[in-house]
C-alpha cells in the first residue's frame, strides 16, 4: 500500500476525530452534553487500552502465554471497589476542585507544594516512555502497512512528523478554554468514539483470523497443539510465573486509578457519581470483549507467518498476508486510534500537572510577576508548552534510547511508577494520621527504588563494562544488585522491582507518618478527605480559616484568571446565596475559601492557597482550635436538631399537663358535688332522729304506742344512717382498691333464691309479680357470696321500688354464653331516661345541669354494685326507655370446667 | 438497598475473585490439557472473568440511584 494513501487516511481520521470533539462541545453548549450519558463515561475509560492492547498483547502471548491477561483482570478486580474508593475520590475532587493526581495528593497533605511537585515529576518521568511506545507503535504499523524499509533513520523521521502532528492536534484539543473544572467534554466524546473504533477494528481482525482464515477456536487450538512452540503456551511456565501473574495483576489494579489518563477520564471528567454504577461492569466488559481474539491471532500468526514477522505486528500482518487491503487499513486505523487517544489524554493530564504543580507554585511565590502577566493567557500558554514539551521528550526517548524492549514490558514499568502513589493515596483516604512527611518519604523512596531496579539496568545494560553492576552489584556489593536486591532472586525483574519499591515505599510512609506531627491545615485536610461524605453537604461551613482579607484584593486576584466582570459576578453571586454582606470591605472567611477553591480549579490547590495567602493576612491556627471549629460546626447542626426535638417534646408535655389539670379540676368539682349529696343524705335521717328524740324528751307522758312508734322510727333512721355511712365507706374501699374478694364457688340461682326470699314480703305488699327463668346449665361462678348477694338484692329492691303497685312485674332471667353468666332483672316501671342511664351508676351527678339530680332514694347502691361486678371481672348496664320499664343486666365470668 | 451491604458484597466479589483468579487456584488449571477443545487454562480464566463481570453487574444494578448532589 502506498504511503500516500496511509497518510491521507490518517489525516482524514484525525479530522473526523476533531469533528467528533467539536460536536461534543457544541452539544455541551446547547445543554445536551454527551458526557452526561453513562455509556460515554464507560467508553472513555477504555482509553486504558492503548497500542499495547492492540499490538502488544498478541506479541506477549508468543513469549509468555496468557500472562498478558493479568493486565485486564486487575482492573476488573478493582472495579467493584470503585463504588467505595472512586466515589469518595470523585466527591473529594468535586468539593475541593481538584484536577489532577498531583493536586489530589498535595491537597490531601495540607496543600503542600513540594509534594505536588514530586508527584508531578515522578509521573512525568514514569509516563514518557509509555508515550514513546505509542509513537513506536504508530510508526511501526505505518511501516508494516506500507511495507517500507524499516531502517532507523526513516522511521525516526516518520515518528518526528507524527509527534509534531499529534502535538499540534492535542494542543488544539485540550487548551481552548480555561474552565474552573478542567472539563473537556469534546475530548471525552472523541475518546469514547476512538474506543469504539479500536474495538471494532480489533474484532474485525479477530473474526477474520478465527473464522476467515481458520475454522474457529477449536481449529486454531488443534493446529496450535501440533506445534511444540505453541503447545507449550497452553500453560504458564511455573518458574516464577506464579508471582509474575500476581504482581502484574496488582500493578494493573493500581494503574486503573493512578495513570494520569485514567484519573483524568474517570475522576476529573466525571459529571455524575451515578455513572460509576454502569462503569463498574461496562468497562470490564469492554476489556473482556477486546481480549477474546488475542490468543487466536497470536497462534494464527505463528502458524501462518512464523518468525519472519515480529509478533507485535500480527494483527496487521495477517490481513496483509491475505491481501485484505481494506481490512488492513481498518486495523491500522484501529491501532492508530488506540495510540492517539492515549497520547492525547495522557499529555493533557500531564500538562495540567506540569502547570499546576511545577509552574504555578513558582509564580505564586513571586506575586510581583502575577500582576505583570495576563494570567489567563499565561496558564493556557504554559499548558500548550507543556504538551509540546512532553511529546517532544517522548519522541527523543524513542529516538535515542532506542533499545526499547517490547511494548508490554515498558508499559509495565510505567505502571510500576504510578503505583508508587498507591500507599499515600489509598491510606490517605482512610487514615487521618497519615502525614505529609510520611507521604513524601514514601513516594521518594518508592521512586528511587523503582528507578534503581527498573530504569537504571536498561540504561546501563548496553555498555559492557558497567553491566558488571548487574552481575555483581555496585562496587561489588552483591546485595545492592539492582536486579536482586538483598539477594532476592525468586521473582522476575519487574515483580522484584515492584515488590521492593512498594514495600519500602509503604514502610517509609507508615513509619514516618507515625513519627511526625501534622500541621493544622494538614489535619483539616485529612478530616475533610477521610470524612468527605459527612462534610460534602456542609463544605461551606467547615471553614478553618482565620484572618483578614479584603474583597477588592480577592476580586482582583481572581480577575487575573477569569476576567474582571466574571470575577466580580461570581463573588457577589456567592455572597448573595449565602447571605454574606458584601458591602463590607473585609471578606467573610467563607468567601475567601470559595475564592481559593475557584482558583484551585484553574491552577491547583497548592498554588491557589499560596496566592490567596499572599493577598490576605492569615492568622495561625492551632490544631486544637481547628479541630474545635470543625467539631463545633458539626455540633451546631446536631444541637439544632436536638433543639427542635426538645421543643416538640415540651409542647407535648405542656399539652398533657393542661389536660391533667382540667381532669383534676373536674374531679375536684365532682368531689364537691359528692360531698354535698352525701351530707344531704346523711343529714336527713339525722334530722329525723334528732327531732323524734327531742319530742320524746320533751313529752315524757306520751302514750306508749306513740312512744314505740317514734322509737321505731328512730331505730329505723339510725339503721338507715349507719347503712349509708357503711355504703360510703364501702365505696371508698372499692375506689381505693383496698377491697378484697373472698371467692368461693357460687351458684347464681342460689343467690337469686336467697334474695327473693328476703324481699318476698316487700313484693307481696305492693302486689308485684316476680318471675324467674333460669338456665339450669349455668356453671359455677367464682365469687364473693355476700357481695354478690348485695348486688342482686340491690337490683331487685330497686325494681320493686320503681314498679307500679298492683300491676308491677319483675322478670329475672339467667343464662350463660361462652364463658360468662348473664343475669337480667327487668321491671315495667317508669323507665330511665337516656341521659340518666350512665349517671345512675355514678355516685355523682353532673354539676353543669343542676336540675339533674340522681333519682331519689337509690343511694349509692348501684355505684357499689357496679364496683363489685367490675371487681369480679364482669360488666353491668341498663337498657331502658321512659315509661317502658328498665332492664338491668350484669355478666360474670364463670369458672372453667 | 442497604448501602453497607452493597459495599460488603462488592468487597467480597473483589476478594473472592482475586483468589479465584490467582495462584494457587490458578495452578490447578495450569496444564496443557484441553477443555471443550480449547486450552483449559484459557477457558477457566475467561469463564471466571466473565462470571465476575456478571456478578458486578448484578450487584451494581441493585444500587439505588443516589440523591442528586448539586455540582458546585
Amino acid at each position: 500500500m502506498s504511503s500516500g494513501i496511509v497518510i491521507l487516511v490518517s489525516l482524514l481520521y484525525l479530522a473526523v476525530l476533531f469533528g467528533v470533539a467539536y460536536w461534543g462541545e457544541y452539544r455541551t453548549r446547547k445543554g445536551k452534553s454527551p458526557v452526561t450519558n453513562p455509556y460515554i463515561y464507560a467508553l472513555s475509560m477504555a482509553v486504558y487500552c492503548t497500542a499495547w492492547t492492540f499490538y502488544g498483547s498478541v506479541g506477549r502471548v508468543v513469549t509468555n502465554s496468557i500472562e498478558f491477561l493479568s493486565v485486564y483482570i486487575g482492573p476488573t478486580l478493582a472495579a467493584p471497589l470503585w463504588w467505595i474508593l472512586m466515589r469518595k475520590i470523585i466527591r473529594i475532587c468535586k468539593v475541593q476542585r481538584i484536577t489532577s493526581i498531583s493536586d489530589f495528593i498535595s491537597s490531601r497533605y495540607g496543600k503542600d507544594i513540594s509534594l505536588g511537585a514530586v508527584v508531578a515529576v515522578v509521573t512525568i518521568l514514569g509516563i514518557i516512555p509509555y508515550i514513546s511506545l505509542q509513537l513506536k507503535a504508530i510508526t511501526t504499523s505505518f511501516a508494516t502497512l506500507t511495507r517500507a524499509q524499516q531502517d532507523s533513520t526513516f522511521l525516526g523521521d516518520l515518528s518526528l512528523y507524527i509527534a509534531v502532528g499529534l502535538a499540534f492536534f492535542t494542543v488544539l484539543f485540550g487548551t481552548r478554554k480555561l474552565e474552573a473544572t478542567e472539563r473537556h467534554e469534546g475530548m471525552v466524546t472523541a475518546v469514547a468514539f476512538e474506543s469504539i473504533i479500536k474495538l471494532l477494528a480489533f474484532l474485525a481482525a479477530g473474526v477474520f483470523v478465527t473464522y476467515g482464515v481458520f475454522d474457529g477456536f477449536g481449529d486454531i487450538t488443534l493446529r496450535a497443539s501440533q506445534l511444540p512452540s505453541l503447545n507449550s503456551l497452553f500453560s504458564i511456565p511455573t518458574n516464577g510465573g506464579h508471582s509474575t501473574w500476581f504482581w502484574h495483576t496488582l500493578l494493573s489494579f493500581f494503574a486503573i486509578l493512578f495513570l494520569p489518563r485514567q484519573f483524568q477520564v474517570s475522576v476529573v471528567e466525571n459529571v455524575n457519581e451515578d455513572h460509576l454504577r454502569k462503569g463498574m461492569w461496562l468497562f470490564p466488559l469492554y476489556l473482556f470483549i477486546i481480549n477474546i481474539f488475542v490468543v487466536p491471532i497470536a497462534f494464527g500468526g505463528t502458524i501462518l507467518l512464523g518468525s519472519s514477522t515480529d509478533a507485535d505486528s500480527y494483527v496487521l500482518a495477517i490481513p496483509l498476508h491475505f491481501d485484505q487491503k481494506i481490512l488492513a487499513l481498518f486495523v491500522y486505523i484501529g491501532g492508530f486510534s488506540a495510540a492517539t487517544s492515549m497520547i492525547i489524554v495522557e499529555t493533557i493530564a500531564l500538562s495540567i500537572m506540569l502547570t499546576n504543580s511545577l509552574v504555578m507554585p513558582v509564580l505564586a511565590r513571586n506575586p510581583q510577576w502575577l500582576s505583570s502577566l495576563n494570567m489567563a493567557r499565561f496558564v493556557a500558554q504554559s499548558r500548550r508548552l507543556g504538551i509540546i514539551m512532553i511529546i517532544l521528550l517522548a519522541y527523543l526517548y524513542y529516538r535515542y534510547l532506542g533499545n526499547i524492549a517490547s511494548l508490554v514490558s515498558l508499559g509495565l514499568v510505567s505502571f510500576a511508577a504510578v503505583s508508587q502513589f498507591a500507599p499515600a493515596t489509598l491510606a490517605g483516604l482512610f487514615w487521618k494520621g497519615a502525614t505529609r512527611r510520611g507521604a513524601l518519604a514514601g513516594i521518594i523512596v518508592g521512586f528511587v527504588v523503582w528507578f534503581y531496579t527498573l530504569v537504571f539496568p536498561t540504561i546501563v545494560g548496553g555498555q559492557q563494562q558497567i553491566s558488571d553492576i548487574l552481575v555483581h552489584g555496585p562496587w561489588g556489593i552483591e546485595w545492592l544488585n539492582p536486579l536482586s536486591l538483598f539477594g532476592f532472586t525468586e521473582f522476575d525483574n519487574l515483580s522484584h522491582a515492584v515488590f521492593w519499591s512498594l514495600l519500602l515505599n509503604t514502610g517509609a510512609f507508615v513509619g514516618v507518618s507515625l513519627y511526625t506531627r501534622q500541621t493544622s491545615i494538614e489535619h483539616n485536610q485529612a478530616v475533610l478527605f477521610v470524612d468527605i461524605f459527612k462534610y460534602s453537604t456542609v463544605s461551606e461551613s467547615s471553614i478553618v480559616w482565620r484572618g483578614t482579607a479584603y474583597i477588592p484584593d480577592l476580586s482582583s486576584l481572581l480577575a487575573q484568571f477569569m476576567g474582571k466582570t466574571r470575577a466580580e459576578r461570581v463573588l457577589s453571586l456567592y455572597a448573595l446565596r449565602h447571605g454574606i454582606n458584601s458591602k463590607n470591605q473585609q471578606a467573610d472567611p467563607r468567601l475567601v475559601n470559595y475564592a481559593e477553591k475557584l482558583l484551585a480549579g484553574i491552577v491547583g490547590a497548592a498554588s491557589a492557597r499560596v496566592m490567596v495567602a499572599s493577598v490576605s493576612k492569615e492568622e495561625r491556627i492551632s490544631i486544637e482550635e481547628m479541630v474545635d471549629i470543625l467539631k463545633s460546626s458539626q455540633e451546631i447542626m446536631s444541637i439544632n436538631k436536638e433543639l427542635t426535638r426538645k421543643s416538640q417534646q415540651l409542647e407535648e408535655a405542656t399539652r398533657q399537663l393542661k389536660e391533667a389539670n382540667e381532669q383534676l379540676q373536674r374531679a375536684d368539682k365532682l368531689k364537691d358535688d359528692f360531698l354535698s349529696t352525701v351530707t344531704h343524705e346523711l343529714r336527713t335521717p339525722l334530722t329525723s332522729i334528732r327531732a323524734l328524740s327531742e319530742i320524746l324528751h320533751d313529752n315524757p307522758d306520751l302514750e306508749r304506742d306513740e312512744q314505740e312508734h317514734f322509737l321505731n322510727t328512730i331505730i329505723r333512721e339510725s339503721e338507715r344512717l349507719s347503712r349509708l355511712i357503711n355504703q360510703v365507706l364501702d365505696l371508698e374501699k372499692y375506689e381505693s382498691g383496698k377491697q378484697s374478694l373472698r371467692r368461693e364457688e357460687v351458684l347464681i340461682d342460689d343467690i337469686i333464691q336467697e334474695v327473693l326470699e328476703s324481699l318476698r314480703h316487700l313484693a307481696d305488699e305492693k302486689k308485684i309479680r316476680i318471675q324467674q327463668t333460669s338456665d339450669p346449665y349455668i356453671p359455677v361462678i367464682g365469687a364473693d357470696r355476700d357481695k354478690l348477694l348485695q348486688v342482686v338484692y340491690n337490683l331487685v329492691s330497686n325494681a320493686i321500688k320503681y314498679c307500679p303497685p298492683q300491676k308491677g312485674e319483675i322478670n329475672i332471667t339467667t343464662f350463660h354464653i361462652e364463658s360468662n353468666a348473664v343475669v337480667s332483672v327487668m321491671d315495667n316501671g317508669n323507665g330511665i331516661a337516656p341521659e340518666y342511664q350512665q349517671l345512675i351508676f355514678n355516685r355523682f351527678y353532673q354539676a353543669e345541669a343542676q336540675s339533674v339530680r340522681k333519682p331519689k332514694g337509690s343511694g349509692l347502691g348501684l355505684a357499689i354494685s357496679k364496683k363489685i361486678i367490675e371487681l369480679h371481672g364482669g360488666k353491668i348496664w341498663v337498657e331502658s326507655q321512659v315509661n317502658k320499664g328498665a332492664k338491668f343486666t350484669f355478666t360474670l365470668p364463670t369458672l372453667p370446667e | 438497598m442497604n448501602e453497607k451491604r452493597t459495599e460488603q458484597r462488592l468487597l467480597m466479589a473483589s476478594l473472592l475473585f482475586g483468589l479465584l483468579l490467582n495462584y494457587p487456584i490458578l495452578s490447578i488449571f495450569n496444564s496443557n490439557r484441553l477443555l471443550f477443545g480449547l486450552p483449559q487454562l484459557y477457558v477457566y480464566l475467561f469463564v471466571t472473568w466473565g462470571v465476575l463481570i456478571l456478578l458486578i453487574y448484578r450487584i451494581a444494578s441493585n444500587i439505588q440511584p443516589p440523591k442528586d448532589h448539586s455540582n458546585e
Side-chain angles (χ1 to χ4, degrees):
Chain A
M1 201 174 309
S2 80
S3 40
I5 296 184
V6 182
I7 295 178
L8 192 63
V9 171
S10 310
L11 287 177
L12 223 67
Y13 177 73
L14 285 180
V16 168
L17 209 59
F18 196 82
V20 171
Y22 194 77
W23 174 82
E25 288 185 5
Y26 168 73
R27 295 280 291 186
T28 309
R29 276 202 303 271
K30 289 253 168 179
K32 285 183 268 176
S33 168
V35 166
T36 53
N37 185 329
Y39 291 94
I40 300 279
Y41 177 69
L43 278 174
S44 73
M45 282 202 258
V47 75
Y48 180 71
C49 299
T50 66
W52 167 352
T53 309
F54 208 82
Y55 296 115
S57 294
V58 173
R60 190 74 168 181
V61 173
V62 171
T63 49
N64 294 70
S65 171
I66 202 161
E67 187 197 88
F68 77 97
L69 210 59
S70 54
V71 165
Y72 305 97
I73 293 199
T76 314
L77 287 174
L81 301 180
W82 282 351
W83 187 250
I84 309 166
L85 279 178
M86 213 182 269
R87 208 159 53 108
K88 196 166 190 179
I89 295 178
I90 292 178
R91 180 73 65 86
I92 293 173
C93 290
K94 279 216 193 102
V95 168
Q96 302 257 334
R97 303 197 185 232
I98 292 172
T99 53
S100 65
I101 303 179
S102 55
D103 211 14
F104 186 87
I105 296 181
S106 139
S107 190
R108 161 64 178 81
Y109 293 99
K111 308 194 189 186
D112 183 54
I113 291 194
S114 49
L115 197 50
V118 166
V119 172
V121 168
V122 168
T123 317
I124 292 176
L125 288 181
I127 299 292
I128 285 193
Y130 200 174
I131 299 181
S132 321
L133 276 179
Q134 311 303 317
L135 282 177
K136 180 193 180 208
I138 298 178
T139 340
T140 334
S141 61
F142 183 91
T144 311
L145 201 55
T146 56
R147 300 189 206 256
Q149 313 153 276
Q150 305 233 4
D151 71 65
S152 53
T153 40
F154 170 73
L155 286 183
D157 291 340
L158 182 60
S159 59
L160 181 60
Y161 298 141
I162 294 175
V164 166
L166 281 176
F168 174 71
F169 192 64
T170 312
V171 162
L172 235 65
F173 244 96
T175 58
R176 257 131 28 86
K177 50 184 180 166
L178 199 67
E179 263 307 318
T181 53
E182 283 296 346
R183 294 249 172 83
H184 307 85
E185 289 89 354
M187 179 190 81
V188 173
T189 320
V191 169
F193 173 73
E194 290 208 282
S195 300
I196 298 178
I197 296 286
K198 67 192 174 205
L199 180 67
L200 288 179
F202 197 83
L203 284 179
V207 167
F208 173 74
V209 172
T210 315
Y211 295 105
V213 177
F214 295 89
D215 286 320
F217 292 94
D219 182 36
I220 296 184
T221 317
L222 204 61
R223 301 268 296 267
S225 62
Q226 290 159 356
L227 277 175
S229 58
L230 287 184
N231 194 19
S232 61
L233 290 176
F234 285 7
S235 57
I236 306 181
T238 48
N239 55 327
H242 294 240
S243 55
T244 312
W245 175 271
F246 169 72
W247 289 109
H248 286 197
T249 313
L250 188 68
L251 276 183
S252 55
F253 186 97
F254 290 142
I256 199 67
L257 200 47
F258 295 113
L259 282 172
R261 66 181 190 275
Q262 296 303 130
F263 194 85
Q264 184 73 24
V265 295
S266 30
V267 176
V268 179
E269 302 284 349
N270 175 284
V271 295
N272 186 347
E273 287 174 11
D274 195 46
H275 287 174
L276 274 178
R277 274 195 308 137
K278 282 222 156 63
M280 270 200 290
W281 59 271
L282 269 177
F283 176 61
L285 188 64
Y286 182 97
L287 296 178
F288 186 88
I289 297 177
I290 205 170
N291 276 296
I292 293 180
F293 289 110
V294 170
V295 173
I297 294 179
F299 284 177
T302 318
I303 295 171
L304 293 167
L305 303 170
S307 50
S308 61
T309 331
D310 185 15
D312 278 353
S313 328
Y314 279 169
V315 195
L316 256 185
I318 300 180
L320 279 179
H321 178 80
F322 290 95
D323 226 16
Q324 298 284 342
K325 292 220 168 67
I326 308 282
L327 179 63
L329 200 57
F330 187 40
V331 169
Y332 164 78
I333 291 293
F336 184 71
S337 152
T340 48
S341 60
M342 185 276 187
I343 295 179
I344 292 172
V345 184
E346 204 81 273
T347 346
I348 290 180
L350 283 178
S351 73
I352 294 177
M353 270 198 254
L354 196 68
T355 322
N356 289 3
S357 301
L358 289 174
V359 174
M360 284 330 292
V362 171
L363 210 64
R365 288 272 181 223
N366 295 289
Q368 62 270 24
W369 298 355
L370 266 178
S371 42
S372 60
L373 293 164
N374 180 339
M375 282 323 300
R377 269 244 308 272
F378 179 78
V379 173
Q381 294 291 49
S382 81
R383 291 270 165 81
R384 292 184 188 129
L385 229 65
I387 291 175
I388 295 174
M389 197 186 74
I390 290 169
I391 295 188
L392 197 65
L393 281 174
Y395 164 74
L396 288 173
Y397 185 94
Y398 165 58
R399 191 73 190 261
Y400 294 108
L401 284 119
N403 57 336
I404 298 181
S406 80
L407 285 164
V408 175
S409 36
L410 207 48
L412 286 171
V413 169
S414 295
F415 277 20
V418 295
S419 295
Q420 302 308 322
F421 303 139
T425 315
L426 295 178
L429 282 175
F430 298 103
W431 180 30
K432 289 182 206 165
T435 70
R436 173 187 80 93
R437 298 218 187 100
L440 206 55
I443 293 178
I444 291 181
V445 166
F447 177 70
V448 166
V449 176
W450 170 84
F451 189 86
Y452 185 61
T453 51
L454 283 177
V455 183
F456 181 62
T458 56
I459 298 178
V460 140
Q463 295 153 310
Q464 201 61 7
Q465 251 184 328
I466 314 185
S467 65
D468 228 21
I469 297 181
L470 297 180
V471 180
H472 294 298
W475 310 296
I477 306 176
E478 284 274 342
W479 54 267
L480 276 183
N481 186 339
L483 294 178
S484 55
L485 281 178
F486 304 107
F488 198 66
T489 46
E490 286 300 309
F491 295 161
D492 69 289
N493 187 26
L494 183 75
S495 308
H496 165 266
V498 172
F499 169 72
W500 282 115
S501 59
L502 282 182
L503 180 68
L504 293 174
N505 181 337
T506 314
F509 168 64
V510 172
V512 175
S513 286
L514 288 175
Y515 280 97
T516 50
R517 302 200 44 190
Q518 292 178 321
T519 63
S520 58
I521 179 162
E522 262 186 75
H523 191 84
N524 184 26
Q525 290 296 100
V527 172
L528 284 179
F529 270 58
V530 175
D531 292 335
I532 185 67
F533 288 117
K534 249 198 286 170
Y535 283 103
S536 57
T537 46
V538 295
S539 61
E540 302 299 358
S541 56
S542 43
I543 306 306
V544 190
W545 189 88
R546 254 203 330 231
T548 39
Y550 292 95
I551 295 190
D553 292 335
L554 281 178
S555 186
S556 58
L557 177 63
L558 282 176
Q560 299 198 347
F561 290 89
M562 48 171 73
K564 193 157 149 58
T565 32
R566 184 143 172 258
E568 281 177 6
R569 184 161 45 98
V570 127
L571 280 178
S572 51
L573 211 72
Y574 179 84
L576 209 68
R577 225 185 330 150
H578 294 260
I580 302 173
N581 187 350
S582 53
K583 297 259 191 28
N584 297 351
Q585 287 294 330
Q586 206 168 344
D588 184 299
R590 283 176 291 175
L591 204 59
V592 178
N593 200 58
Y594 181 66
E596 191 181 312
K597 271 215 207 125
L598 281 177
L599 219 49
I602 303 175
V603 298
S607 313
R609 176 170 166 66
V610 173
M611 286 180 193
V612 168
S614 69
V615 300
S616 57
K617 206 164 67 138
E618 188 175 337
E619 291 174 17
R620 295 196 66 79
I621 190 169
S622 69
I623 291 198
E624 289 79 31
E625 289 178 286
M626 195 268 333
V627 167
D628 281 340
I629 294 180
L630 271 177
K631 248 198 280 177
S632 61
S633 67
Q634 275 281 303
E635 275 175 10
I636 287 177
M637 268 189 20
S638 56
I639 285 180
N640 226 6
K641 261 188 256 162
E642 267 299 299
L643 266 175
T644 23
R645 204 169 57 83
K646 284 270 161 69
S647 74
Q648 278 172 355
Q649 281 181 347
L650 196 64
E651 266 180 46
E652 179 67 19
T654 316
R655 195 183 58 80
Q656 284 176 353
L657 272 174
K658 247 202 277 210
E659 260 181 51
N661 193 28
E662 281 171 23
Q663 272 182 15
L664 272 174
Q665 286 185 344
R666 254 181 286 148
D668 198 45
K669 193 173 296 180
L670 289 174
K671 179 203 71 177
D672 290 339
D673 300 336
F674 172 64
L675 268 176
S676 57
T677 320
V678 165
T679 42
H680 174 87
E681 299 278 321
L682 284 178
R683 227 180 296 150
T684 323
L686 266 177
T687 320
S688 349
I689 294 177
R690 184 152 159 233
L692 291 172
S693 309
E694 278 183 357
I695 295 177
L696 282 173
H697 176 263
D698 291 341
N699 300 303
D701 37 296
L702 268 179
E703 287 293 326
R704 180 123 183 104
D705 285 347
E706 278 197 64
Q707 281 182 350
E708 268 187 33
H709 177 73
F710 284 164
L711 283 169
N712 277 336
T713 315
I714 291 175
I715 293 172
R716 222 180 34 249
E717 290 299 293
S718 320
E719 280 174 350
R720 181 161 152 225
L721 188 55
S722 77
R723 205 174 44 242
L724 194 59
I725 294 178
N726 279 336
Q727 277 184 335
V728 174
L729 289 176
D730 246 0
L731 203 56
E732 201 277 324
K733 258 202 261 179
Y734 283 114
E735 298 267 305
S736 64
K738 293 203 199 102
Q739 189 62 269
S740 58
L741 297 173
R742 244 195 13 244
R743 288 191 194 244
E744 49 183 295
E745 289 186 354
V746 162
L747 276 171
I748 191 66
D749 278 338
D750 291 347
I751 304 267
I752 297 178
Q753 280 303 111
E754 248 187 74
V755 167
L756 286 180
E757 292 270 325
S758 58
L759 286 174
R760 178 82 45 195
H761 68 280
L762 260 176
D764 287 342
E765 257 180 44
K766 278 176 85 170
K767 298 272 193 300
I768 295 175
R769 249 172 9 112
I770 299 186
Q771 252 189 334
Q772 185 189 2
T773 346
S774 53
D775 176 350
Y777 299 109
I778 288 191
V780 230
I781 309 175
D784 187 318
R785 194 187 178 77
D786 288 336
K787 301 244 169 25
L788 209 51
L789 273 170
Q790 205 175 339
V791 172
V792 178
Y793 189 95
N794 176 250
L795 289 182
V796 177
S797 62
N798 280 350
I800 294 178
K801 218 181 300 181
Y802 287 97
C803 264
Q806 306 298 334
K807 45 192 175 71
E809 263 185 36
I810 298 180
N811 270 316
I812 306 177
T813 43
T814 62
F815 63 95
H816 75 287
I817 185 169
E818 288 185 353
S819 53
N820 281 317
V822 184
V823 177
S824 294
V825 176
M826 193 162 60
D827 67 66
N828 58 348
N830 295 338
I832 306 170
E835 57 262 33
Y836 295 159
Q837 285 179 12
Q838 265 303 106
L839 269 184
I840 53 178
F841 290 104
N842 292 353
R843 54 181 188 155
F844 308 134
Y845 61 79
Q846 302 281 37
E848 285 93 331
Q850 273 291 7
S851 54
V852 174
R853 286 182 65 93
K854 278 178 53 174
K856 62 176 181 7
S858 41
L860 299 165
L862 276 176
I864 293 180
S865 298
K866 180 163 184 242
K867 286 278 183 248
I868 293 177
I869 294 293
E870 285 178 353
L871 213 58
H872 279 85
K875 282 206 282 273
I876 184 168
W877 67 92
V878 65
E879 292 151 70
S880 171
Q881 279 177 349
V882 179
N883 291 326
K884 295 222 180 94
K887 177 173 171 197
F888 282 82
T889 320
F890 67 87
T891 66
L892 286 173
T894 55
L895 286 179
E897 295 284 334
Chain B
M1 167 68 67
N2 189 350
E3 173 142 344
K4 259 278 171 231
R5 292 291 299 240
T6 316
E7 289 183 9
Q8 287 170 352
R9 287 187 190 162
L10 291 170
L11 188 63
M12 183 270 312
S14 192
L15 289 176
L16 177 66
F17 280 81
L19 266 174
L20 286 178
L21 290 168
N22 245 305
Y23 288 93
I25 299 199
L26 213 55
S27 60
I28 299 175
F29 294 87
N30 192 13
S31 72
N32 287 342
R33 295 237 308 276
L34 296 185
L35 190 65
F36 308 126
L38 303 170
Q40 80 172 3
L41 181 63
Y42 296 10
V43 172
Y44 172 72
L45 276 174
F46 272 90
V47 166
T48 318
W49 189 17
V51 169
L52 173 58
I53 297 177
L54 213 68
L55 183 60
I56 300 175
Y57 168 69
R58 285 298 310 278
I59 302 179
S61 310
N62 277 335
I63 302 176
Q64 307 287 17
K67 279 192 308 193
D68 200 343
H69 288 276
S70 50
N71 294 331
E72 299 199 26

